[in-house]
Every structure is written in C-alpha cells, then in structure tokens.
Amino acid sequence: MAGREDGARQWRAGAGEHADWSAELLDHLRPAGRDVRRVVTWLARTAHAAVSLQDGAGHLLAGTRTPLDEDLVADITSGRIASAALEDRGRHLRLVRVARVHPAPAAVLAVAREAPFDRRVSDIVTHTAQVVELLLAGHESTAAGHRLRRATSDLRLAILQLLMVEDTVSARRVAAGLWPGLLDTDEACVYVVESSPEERDRLAEECLSATGERALVVRCPAMDGHVIVLTPREAAGRQLRSLVGRLPGVFLGGSARQSLARTATAYGQAVSALAVARFRPDKAAVYAERTRPERLMDPAALHGWTLHLLRPLDVLPHHTRAELLATTRLGLEFTAVNTAKVLGVSRNTVRARMDRVERLLRTDFADLTARAAVHLALNAQAGLAQHPGGTERPGPARLTDLLAGPALRTWAGDLLGRLEPDPRDLRRTLRTWIAAGGNAERAARTLGVHAQTVREHVRSAEPVLERQLLAAGSDLYEVVLAHLAAGDLDQPPLRGTKPDQPDSPVHG
C-alpha cells in the first residue's frame, strides 16, 4: 500500500509538472504571443539546453547556432527520418524535423544539453516542435496571403495604368485571367474615394465589399488617402454613396460615363468632383452634376477648333500620340510627381512628354490660360469622338469665338459674380493671380500686398466658387475660362499666335 501511495504521489507530481510546462507552451499559441523566437528561447530555458532552429541550407531561423552533422540534417529535412538522438563529445543531442508550408523546405529543431534527456525533457522537445511547426505554418500562410494580396493590388494598378494610356487591349487581356468579364464593356465610370491615409487600406477593402468585387479597386499611387474605383455597373455608384454616407471623414467624387480609352479623362473628372464633394452635406458629387463650359459651346465649332489645335499630334504613331495625350491630360490636372506615380513612369518622363506636346502645339504651359485652353481641347476630344455635325464652317473657329456665345458668357458672369459681395475684391485678386501664372509672389507685387494675402484671397474664393483653385486642375481651368469669356484676361498664346520657342519647363 505504501508503495502504491508513493507511486500515486509521483504520478500526481509528474502531472503537475507537465501541466506547468504545457500551459506555458500553450501560451505561445495565443494571438499576442505567436513568436517562434520566443518559443525557442523558452525551450532553451526550460530544458537547460542550447537550442537552434535552422533550415536544410543551414540558415538559422531562431536560437543559437549549434554545430550539426550535415548528413544527419539532410536526412531529417528530406523526411527520410523524423528525429534523431545521439551523444556527441560529451553533449546529448536531440534533433526533430519541423515541417513547413510548401515550397519552404523543412527545418530542424536541435536541442543540445550536458545532461541526458529524461522523459520530461523529451516530451517538452517533442511538443515544442509541434508548436513551432504550427507557428511557422501560420506565419508562412500569413506571409503568402500578404504576398498574394500585394500581387493582386499591383495587378489592379497595372491594369489601371494601361487604361490611363489608352491601351485597352492589354488591360482587358491582363484582367481576363483574374476578373473575367470586368472590362467586357465599352464604357465605365471612375470614382475616387477619399479618407485619411491611415484608414485607406480598410477603405479599399470596404470598396471591394460594397461593389461585390465587380470593380477595379486601386489604392491610388499618388495620393495616400485616395482609393480609385473603375466600374461599368451603374449600381456601383449607389453602393459607394451608401458606403461614404455611413463613414465619417470619407468623401466620394465620380466621373461621367466614359469609354475605357478615356479613363484618364474620367479620373480627372472624378478628382474634380471630389473637390465639390468636400462642400456637400452628403459628401458625394458626380462630374455630370455641374455645368461645364464646353457643354455651353457650339459643338461643331468646338470640334473644329479642337481638331485644328491638336492636329500637330496627328503625325505621330497612334501609340505615341495616345501616350502623350494621356500624360498631358493628367499632367494638366496634377503635379508631375503625382502624374508619374499614377502612370508608373518617372517624373522626368512626364516632363519630357509634356515638353514635346508644348513644342508641337507651340504654346507655353507656364501660362495658365494656355493650360486651360489645351485642357479644354483634350476634354472636347474625349467627349466628341465623332464629328457632331451641324453647319460647316469655312475655317476652324477661334477660341474667342467659342467663348463669345451668350450661354457661356452668362455662365461666366454668374460664376464670377459670386465673388462680388466680398469687400476684399476677391475677383480682382483672383484675376491678377491667374495672369501671374498662379504665382502668389508675382501677383502680390502687382497688387501691392503680401503674398500670403493673395493666397488667403484665393483660398477664400474656393468655397464661394465650389472649386479647388490652389491645386491646378479642372476646377482652376474652368475659372480661367470664365475670366476669358468675361473679357477679364488676355487670350492665351496658342499654335499660330506666336513663333516657335525653346523648351519651357512644365509647371506641375
């Protein structure tokens, strides 16, 4: 009886010890403690041993390096044997195979100690190897999932960049493998959803969920808080509006429906609408909701003027012409740096392409009126792919003719008239600032005020006009055209109005 009681006491003591180390080991599987290096450190401390975790090539994954027989390691990592125990030069070794997620090669957990391995330490080593295997599998699966998500995100961006330069054939070919049918359409809308940069990743996932993953959702490479969504589905706009409505600090801008070849134009429209959305209670706006100056011009005259202005580009190969036009559209909307990020090219490439367009059109993009005129032509080209018909004219219309229509002049007067009630004479400041090429210092010298005063006046005009002015883009060019239509600014230097000039910098 005494012997049985002693045995029972030993069993209970052993069970208690087992419970202690197994509980500690299991703690390493909790979400906050999943670290292979910590597990190996724990094993070394618990087993009073030197512990290493290395792969078949000898790369140390965790612990302290232990000299091991290469042939024995190869037998274990290849799966010929699962484990080995041996005594080598006064030390006792235990090696256990640790499987990993394919294609990663198996690893070896090696434990070396001066004392022999008893039942307790052997159990600890065996169970620790199982925990390490689980942690490695989880880590490698997480890493593989991250790589897959990154690759998918990069692929979406590549498709968008192909569409930006009008290479719809390649874009469809790339998209067909992962998202069959996504680009089986002639037209689509582009939306830009804005949040804080910290919330952007979560917002992108929300956009994917809201659109049922039937849209091209891209984290904007230029603006850290923007998510770009291209979709042919009408319902997607409603779904995104609903999403924005329930998320604080999130805004939505949408384009008019455009052909896939005009994705760059649609993107610019969406960014322009986003500026309006910031002033709206529902935090959303669509480009078509606002009257655009080109809609108030004689379509036939606008078409003829556009063809005449852009004709020097017609001699270029189709791909080169499309590349220059797409770059210029974006370069007139955004900085050269951001345009480069969106297109996936260098800033110098953007500047070189726009310099070439400047030379071909014989104009100067440092002049805001010239930028506004070329921007008008590019928008008109996108919106009037076919000749609109109408009365044929003996020659191409001039810009002054396009701006002289009563509807456009009324629009310009109404728009700029919003500035009149302000006693600071915002209209005068804005007109002078535009004439100075958007340079506050030059405008300040003309007006006899401080440059900061000019910036404050321009910034004050933005909510009144519901247009973003300090960032060059569609909003600013509309206001420039309004000044031209009202006769407040001189007509821009365009092709045929001044001689060839040397290369001039792109002011992006």
Side-chain angles (χ1 to χ4, degrees), residues 89-143:
R89 287 173 292 186
R91 62 175 185 166
H92 297 269
L93 277 171
R94 184 74 179 268
L95 285 71
V96 182
R97 185 175 188 270
V98 176
R100 299 170 69 187
V101 176
H102 183 78
V108 173
L109 181 67
V111 183
R113 50 186 260 140
E114 294 180 359
F117 285 82
D118 56 21
R119 176 69 177 272
R120 173 180 175 274
V121 175
S122 296
D123 285 347
I124 291 174
V125 172
T126 301
H127 286 82
T128 301
Q130 294 170 352
V131 169
V132 169
E133 191 170 291
L134 288 172
L135 292 178
L136 285 177
H139 173 74
E140 288 161 359
S141 295
T142 300

Side-chain angles (χ1 to χ4, degrees), residues 36-207:
V36 170
R37 288 169 297 184
R38 287 178 56 188
V39 174
V40 170
T41 301
W42 173 86
L43 175 60
R45 184 177 65 250
T46 305
H48 305 290
V51 181
S52 70
L53 178 68
Q54 67 180 51
D55 62 20
H59 299 132
L60 187 67
L61 304 178
T64 56
R65 184 170 294 282
T66 302
L68 300 173
D69 183 89
E70 294 182 1
D71 293 335
L72 182 58
V73 169
D75 287 340
I76 292 175
T77 55
S78 65
R80 282 192 288 270
I81 58 176
S83 63
L86 65 150
E87 185 178 354
D88 179 31
R89 287 173 292 186
R91 62 175 185 166
H92 297 269
L93 277 171
R94 184 74 179 268
L95 285 71
V96 182
R97 185 175 188 270
V98 176
R100 299 170 69 187
V101 176
H102 183 78
V108 173
L109 181 67
V111 183
R113 50 186 260 140
E114 294 180 359
F117 285 82
D118 56 21
R119 176 69 177 272
R120 173 180 175 274
V121 175
S122 296
D123 285 347
I124 291 174
V125 172
T126 301
H127 286 82
T128 301
Q130 294 170 352
V131 169
V132 169
E133 191 170 291
L134 288 172
L135 292 178
L136 285 177
H139 173 74
E140 288 161 359
S141 295
T142 300
H146 177 73
R147 288 194 297 272
L148 179 60
R149 288 191 295 274
R150 178 62 183 269
T152 304
S153 178
D154 290 346
L155 190 57
R156 289 192 182 103
L157 175 58
I159 293 169
L160 179 68
Q161 289 170 339
L162 287 170
L163 292 174
M164 287 287 192
V165 295
E166 302 184 19
D167 192 350
T168 57
V169 174
S170 296
R172 286 190 174 106
R173 186 180 299 121
V174 174
L178 287 180
W179 300 284
L182 177 62
L183 297 182
D184 290 349
T185 178
D186 293 327
E187 295 182 334
C189 290
V190 172
Y191 296 90
V192 176
V193 193
E194 180 183 66
S195 68
S196 65
E198 297 76 19
E199 294 293 319
R200 203 252 302 260
D201 286 346
R202 184 176 68 86
L203 179 63
E205 295 301 321
E206 293 268 14
C207 290

Side-chain angles (χ1 to χ4, degrees), residues 454-470:
V454 173
R455 295 188 189 95
E456 289 174 359
H457 284 195
V458 175
R459 192 174 290 111
S460 296
E462 289 184 326
V464 178
L465 300 177
E466 289 189 331
R467 284 160 174 82
Q468 202 171 18
L469 302 175
L470 289 172

Side-chain angles (χ1 to χ4, degrees), residues 357-429:
V357 172
E358 273 186 305
R359 291 194 301 272
L360 288 169
L361 301 186
R362 291 186 290 179
T363 191
D364 182 2
F365 286 156
D367 189 306
L368 280 181
T369 59
R371 291 172 72 94
V374 174
H375 183 266
L376 171 65
L378 294 176
N379 277 350
Q381 183 202 49
L384 298 172
Q386 302 297 325
H387 194 293
T391 305
E392 294 295 331
R393 298 176 180 274
R398 298 174 301 170
L399 182 61
T400 51
D401 299 329
L402 297 177
L403 299 174
L408 189 66
R409 292 178 68 87
T410 299
W411 166 81
D414 291 343
L415 180 64
L416 299 180
R418 301 180 195 176
L419 302 173
E420 297 294 347
D422 195 299
R424 293 173 292 179
D425 201 354
L426 298 183
R427 183 167 178 174
R428 175 171 175 260
T429 302

Side-chain angles (χ1 to χ4, degrees), residues 276-351:
V276 178
R278 298 189 188 103
F279 303 110
R280 294 249 176 118
D282 61 353
K283 305 183 297 178
V286 175
Y287 185 85
E289 292 177 354
R290 204 164 80 189
T291 301
R292 302 291 166 175
E294 60 265 29
R295 295 176 179 270
L296 302 175
M297 299 176 183
D298 179 345
L302 177 59
H303 184 77
W305 173 80
T306 298
L307 290 179
H308 175 71
L309 181 66
L310 300 181
R311 184 167 293 140
L313 298 173
D314 293 343
V315 300
L316 301 173
H318 173 76
H319 177 73
T320 302
R321 183 178 186 276
E323 196 172 63
L324 291 180
L325 288 176
T327 302
T328 303
R329 284 193 190 98
L330 290 175
L332 293 176
E333 292 279 356
F334 310 104
T335 65
V337 173
N338 286 348
T339 299
K341 290 178 180 178
V342 170
L343 293 176
V345 298
S346 72
R347 177 177 56 185
N348 289 338
T349 298
V350 171
R351 293 185 185 279

Side-chain angles (χ1 to χ4, degrees), residues 241-304:
R241 279 179 179 268
S242 176
L243 172 65
V244 167
R246 65 175 184 268
L247 295 178
V250 177
F251 303 91
L252 173 69
S255 74
R257 199 165 182 83
Q258 296 281 356
S259 69
L260 287 181
R262 307 302 183 193
T263 296
T265 298
Y267 173 60
Q269 291 178 350
V271 172
S272 177
L274 183 64
V276 178
R278 298 189 188 103
F279 303 110
R280 294 249 176 118
D282 61 353
K283 305 183 297 178
V286 175
Y287 185 85
E289 292 177 354
R290 204 164 80 189
T291 301
R292 302 291 166 175
E294 60 265 29
R295 295 176 179 270
L296 302 175
M297 299 176 183
D298 179 345
L302 177 59
H303 184 77

